[in-house]
Amino acid sequence: AQTVTQSQPEMSVQEAETVTLSCTYDTSESDYYLFWYKQPPSRQMILVIRQEAYKQQNATENRFSVNFQKAAKSFSLKISDSQLGDAAMYFCAYRSAKGQGAQKLVFGQGTRLTINP
Amino acid sequence: DAGVTQSPTHLIKTRGQQVTLRCSPISGHKSVSWYQQVLGQGPQFIFQYYEKEERGRGNFPDRFSARQFPNYSSELNVNALLLGDSALYLCASSLGGDIFRGVGYEQYFGPGTRLTVT
């Protein structure tokens, strides 16, 4: 079974600075997808960014980018120019590309990000 | 277009009771998944339905059941409630299909239903 680990329960950063959230995962599969979701106090889980394992190029979405290290099974999220609206719980998630595992997302425990003005 | 909607927003039940949670997917989405999120933890997969058929089930007891209707909306039922069932229940919709590559695999979440069991 696949597992996702987020080793940072809490992180804080000054507004306008850069912060990196860590995520590692364990799998024997070669084809899969990785995601970062944001969950603000409103509880709505919002997709921030996704990465296909077969792509070597790291995904970017505006101020959000990832560092995908497939061999190390590491998938970190970098937030540049942090804004107050970035404050939320961030979850790293894994999904298999095919088979039974393709039916579900496997989430890490989450990292609570605080933005200091 | 409206996003994923869930009802009710929150509810309080007593141990031993039964509860039904409802979810309406994004228009055009045919797959619905249910997740349980206990306070302070990441969501845990409960079920996935596609075209009214169960396509996946997580490690949850038989007290948990679900179904999907012809309009692709879904209900999650939990019988004989326990204190440990207190959680945020999230519904997610996706285009779904046998091939989950391309644009079909993103799951879009609703705001959740907060269930408190006393």
Side-chain angles (χ1 to χ4, degrees), chain A residues 23-109:
Chain A
C23 172
T24 59
Y25 58 94
D26 187 27
T27 184
S28 59
E29 299 174 331
S30 59
D31 199 8
Y32 49 86
Y33 302 95
L34 295 166
F35 307 86
W36 279 98
Y37 280 88
K38 167 186 177 181
Q39 188 178 40
S42 66
R43 310 181 319 198
Q44 188 105 28
M45 194 77 76
I46 302 166
L47 178 63
V48 174
I49 198 167
R50 73 174 186 270
Q51 174 79 42
E52 293 89 342
Y54 63 86
K55 291 185 177 180
Q56 292 186 343
Q57 186 174 6
N58 290 322
T60 62
E61 286 288 342
N62 301 313
R63 297 182 296 106
F64 299 87
S65 62
V66 299
N67 183 6
F68 174 49
Q69 301 290 328
K70 190 172 185 179
K73 297 180 182 176
S74 171
F75 183 61
S76 61
L77 174 69
K78 185 172 79 173
I79 306 174
S80 303
D81 185 25
S82 298
Q83 300 175 0
L84 295 178
D86 295 333
M89 282 292 289
Y90 285 81
F91 291 95
C92 179
Y94 172 104
R95 187 176 73 78
S96 301
K98 55 187 177 182
Q100 283 294 317
Q103 315 299 334
K104 64 180 183 181
L105 290 165
V106 178
F107 287 87
Q109 305 93 315

